[in-house]
Amino acid sequence: MNSLRLNTFRARLLMWILLSTLVLVIGLTAVFYQYTAQQIDYRVGEAAERNVSQAMDNFSLLARGYDSLAKSIMSNAEIQRLLSREEPTAMDEFNKQLLMMGALGTIFYSYNDIKGIHVISPVGNVYSYESTTHGINPDFLEGEFLREVQASGGQLTWGGMMGEQSLTVRDDPVFTFGRLMTNLVTRRPIGVLIIEANPRTFISSMNNLMIKPESRTYVYSASDALLVSSHPNEPVDTKEMKELTDLSRYTFREQAKDVSDGGHLIITAQDAKLGWKLLTITPKPVARLEQAAANRYFFIVTFAIIVLAIVIAFVLSRSVSKPIKSIVQDMRRVERGDLTTKIQAEGSYDEINYLNTHFNRMISEINGLMDRNKVATASEKNAQIHALQSQVNPHFLYNTLDMIYWLLDEQENEKLANLVLSLSRMFRYSSDWRDAVATLKSELEQIGHYMTIISARSDGRIHVEHRIDDELLSATMPKMTLQPLIENAVIHGLSAYKGEGMISITAAREGQTIEIHIQDNGAGIPKHKLEELKQALKRAERLEWDDLLEEERRSLTVEPAIYGHSQGSGVGFLNVHRRLVLEYGAGYGLRVESEVNVGTSVTIMVPDMSKAITAKEDKDAHIGRR
């Protein structure tokens, strides 16, 4: 039962495999379902575009047929003759009615889908021929559509499925269109032709566009008036349908176009000659899968994969955890002090075999170290005794130098006393490494002590001057950064110089860096030696820690001369540069420029820590106030 605890490697491995498998299965299933639905929507959209294009072609053919019908009625000689004359008596008007019915009936039976042909005279008389007689709707005679036909100038005007606003009062739907009739000779209006057609051709074409029962199709005139819809009895004034049938949202072109949004498959098209606009709307998802069957299939597959994952996870966890468990048991024996333990290498994973081999090697090395430690312990105790016996307290040396200074001061030997005092302070500064970081001010004080000694040696021929703003004196850097560089300038640059030797120290802030410039007017560095020094400085920036130690040892033994023939004259540069690179990283350190018989300029680049120090002081002050 211990192997099934949650905190065991085997249980964790089993749990993670199961969880990852389940997440993967669910994720892949969801992605596959989404991808399949998108592909179906895309394919259905392509098919819908083709169907809409075909429907528009059918509507165009039907409209041209209706246009031909209207033209044939208007150009009929008998109808032109009858409409062009006015009958003086009621009997004459009755005879005219009979003659008009005969003329219209001849044309009526030539078209199967025509339900009624009506001619409205300028004085309001209606001449009709229908398959079944219906009453005249008086509202139509005063309606907007009739006025639109009268003002059309002879163009065929489409009224569509007008419902209760149609010319005749009937229960069955009709598709209405009309044209202004004029005398072919005088061009004087002689009536208005109104034709009522069976809309089954339109409805049949629209039904072919029905992708699913929720699909809706609408045909609009060039003036955006609704002519016919796939569901004429369904209201379109709901909020959702108003938004979906807002024609200003869509672009209508001669070619059918898919303009679907996130929730609906929407196809638009327009007839170039008639100006009719077709809009078909289908809610998404377009294709509905059988949910029950899909769910059953999903659960069966998921259950099968989980069972398979459990079996695989159990086998994998056992194969991995068994050798690890063996290693753990052997390590526990080592913890109890049994250093004779050896793990038997068995056929396992390469990583486990690697652990076995190195565990055995570690035990062997521990045994060897313990044997060597017994021998080394006695030697180490002897070495410590000798080290304690030979140790000299540096304070004894400081006090001795101070005593010599006071003795010389009593003898009024001021020059020698100052030399001893400077030497004492230099020694105190350079040997006190409790803090490896110094300020620029303390470094300059150390240079002052050093130059006191050098001035005595050179009879005052060599001078150091510095012009540095007080705010830069608090800049920090590794201890003993300036002295090696000043010493190089004195010994290798100015010692052989016959004239007045001058070393100038300046400092400036450049962005986030403080640059300290040391300029001398000494002998300078030969060009090829200067190039060697620059390459050595660049090489130091790329070295890792172990390489730096090796480079340090090499520089102390075989470092080439930089100033003329002076062996080791570049050591100071490289040592200071390495310390700065190690402390602050690449980009900081030394930059050297020199010209023979002109002088040498060394630039020390350290980060500006003043902002960080100020921020820390402000934080400490804030904490103190709290």
Side-chain angles (χ1 to χ4, degrees), residues 495-561:
S495 60
Y497 185 66
K498 302 301 183 182
E500 192 81 7
M502 179 61 68
I503 300 175
S504 174
I505 304 175
T506 59
R509 181 179 284 108
E510 298 292 339
Q512 300 298 320
T513 303
I514 293 179
E515 296 186 355
I516 303 169
H517 304 281
I518 301 175
Q519 175 75 43
D520 68 64
N521 61 345
I525 305 174
K527 186 174 182 180
H528 67 284
K529 296 296 182 181
L530 178 62
E531 188 62 29
E532 289 181 13
L533 179 58
K534 289 182 177 181
Q535 292 299 323
L537 295 176
K538 291 181 180 179
R539 188 166 59 249
E541 293 185 7
R542 300 191 298 267
L543 295 178
E544 299 295 336
W545 176 254
D546 293 340
D547 297 329
L548 281 171
L549 294 178
E550 179 62 28
E551 185 75 5
E552 182 76 13
R553 287 191 294 268
R554 191 179 71 85
S555 69
L556 293 175
T557 55
V558 296
E559 183 71 32

Side-chain angles (χ1 to χ4, degrees), residues 21-287:
T21 303
L22 185 60
V23 170
L24 181 63
V25 169
I26 295 175
L28 288 177
T29 303
V31 170
F32 178 76
Y33 182 86
Q34 183 69 18
Y35 174 77
T36 303
Q38 289 177 352
Q39 289 299 310
I40 292 175
D41 287 351
Y42 177 73
R43 299 303 178 189
V44 171
E46 288 185 333
E49 289 180 353
R50 291 193 295 269
N51 292 339
V52 167
S53 296
Q54 293 175 0
M56 287 301 298
D57 292 339
N58 294 336
F59 294 159
S60 180
L61 289 173
L62 187 62
R64 285 198 292 270
Y66 289 156
D67 186 57
S68 298
L69 169 62
K71 288 179 179 179
S72 66
I73 294 173
M74 189 176 69
S75 62
N76 184 279
E78 179 67 11
I79 295 175
Q80 281 277 322
R81 184 183 65 80
L82 293 172
L83 291 176
S84 298
R85 73 183 188 184
E86 296 181 0
E87 303 298 336
T89 66
M91 182 58 69
D92 291 335
E93 181 63 32
F94 177 75
N95 292 331
K96 181 178 178 180
Q97 183 82 23
L98 295 176
L99 292 174
M100 283 291 295
M101 289 180 62
L104 294 175
T106 302
I107 299 173
F108 177 85
Y109 288 107
S110 299
Y111 293 87
N112 295 329
D113 59 339
I114 300 301
K115 287 193 172 185
I117 302 176
H118 313 274
V119 177
I120 304 173
S121 69
V123 295
N125 296 325
V126 179
Y127 307 100
S128 303
Y129 193 93
E130 304 176 83
S131 58
T132 302
T133 304
H134 296 87
I136 300 299
N137 182 8
D139 293 337
F140 181 87
L141 300 178
E142 303 294 333
E144 181 65 28
F145 178 69
L146 182 60
R147 289 193 293 270
E148 185 179 347
V149 175
Q150 292 172 340
S152 65
Q155 297 294 326
L156 198 62
T157 304
W158 305 100
M161 298 177 67
M162 302 179 65
E164 296 179 355
Q165 301 299 320
S166 60
L167 174 62
T168 58
V169 180
R170 57 173 69 228
D171 296 329
D172 56 324
V174 291
F175 184 85
T176 304
F177 55 94
R179 168 171 276 165
L180 177 67
M181 299 182 67
T182 60
N183 187 288
L184 297 178
V185 177
T186 64
R187 297 299 178 183
R188 180 176 59 86
I190 58 177
V192 174
L193 173 65
I194 302 295
I195 300 175
E196 294 178 323
N198 192 332
R200 66 172 179 264
T201 303
F202 289 97
I203 301 299
S204 177
S205 296
M206 289 182 171
N207 288 337
N208 292 334
L209 301 178
M210 297 283 290
I211 299 174
K212 52 194 276 189
E214 292 82 1
S215 298
R216 298 292 182 267
T217 304
Y218 306 91
V219 178
Y220 297 86
S221 67
S223 61
D224 294 344
L226 179 62
L227 299 179
V228 61
S229 67
S230 58
H231 295 72
N233 297 324
E234 183 178 275
V236 294
D237 56 353
T238 62
K239 181 179 180 181
E240 180 181 14
M241 293 309 299
K242 281 184 177 180
E243 293 179 356
L244 292 174
T245 57
D246 182 5
L247 301 184
S248 62
R249 296 176 53 189
Y250 310 113
T251 301
F252 292 87
R253 294 188 176 89
E254 184 175 355
Q255 296 294 330
K257 182 179 180 182
D258 186 347
V259 293
S260 302
D261 58 16
H264 298 82
L265 171 66
I266 303 174
I267 308 296
T268 61
Q270 184 174 19
D271 185 272
K273 294 182 180 179
L274 298 174
W276 286 9
K277 300 172 182 177
L278 190 148
L279 175 67
T280 176
I281 302 172
T282 302
K284 290 183 179 180
V286 176

Side-chain angles (χ1 to χ4, degrees), residues 388-427:
L388 290 172
Q389 291 175 347
S390 60
Q391 186 177 30
V392 176
N393 190 338
H395 289 285
F396 173 74
L397 183 57
Y398 304 155
N399 295 332
T400 302
L401 290 174
D402 288 342
M403 182 183 66
I404 296 174
Y405 165 75
W406 290 113
L407 290 174
L408 292 174
D409 186 63
E410 290 178 358
Q411 297 178 7
E412 297 183 355
N413 192 341
E414 183 180 355
K415 182 177 181 180
L416 188 56
N418 289 335
L419 287 176
V420 173
L421 180 60
S422 296
L423 179 61
S424 174
R425 291 181 177 177
M426 282 187 63
F427 188 66

Side-chain angles (χ1 to χ4, degrees), residues 460-508:
R461 185 175 57 84
I462 300 177
H463 305 280
V464 173
E465 64 176 14
H466 53 80
R467 299 181 301 276
I468 300 175
D469 294 340
D470 292 341
E471 63 176 3
L472 296 179
L473 292 177
S474 60
T476 58
M477 63 195 68
K479 199 170 185 179
M480 296 296 291
T481 295
L482 294 186
Q483 183 182 328
L485 304 179
I486 299 296
E487 188 174 349
N488 261 327
V490 171
I491 296 176
H492 305 293
L494 298 174
S495 60
Y497 185 66
K498 302 301 183 182
E500 192 81 7
M502 179 61 68
I503 300 175
S504 174
I505 304 175
T506 59

Side-chain angles (χ1 to χ4, degrees), residues 25 29 294-308:
V25 169
T29 303
N295 291 338
R296 285 196 301 271
Y297 174 76
F298 173 75
F299 287 127
I300 290 172
V301 171
T302 302
F303 178 77
I305 292 178
I306 291 176
V307 171
L308 181 62

Side-chain angles (χ1 to χ4, degrees), residues 242 338 363 369 435 514 549 581:
K242 281 184 177 180
D338 185 5
I363 296 300
L369 287 173
D435 189 358
I514 293 179
L549 294 178
V581 170

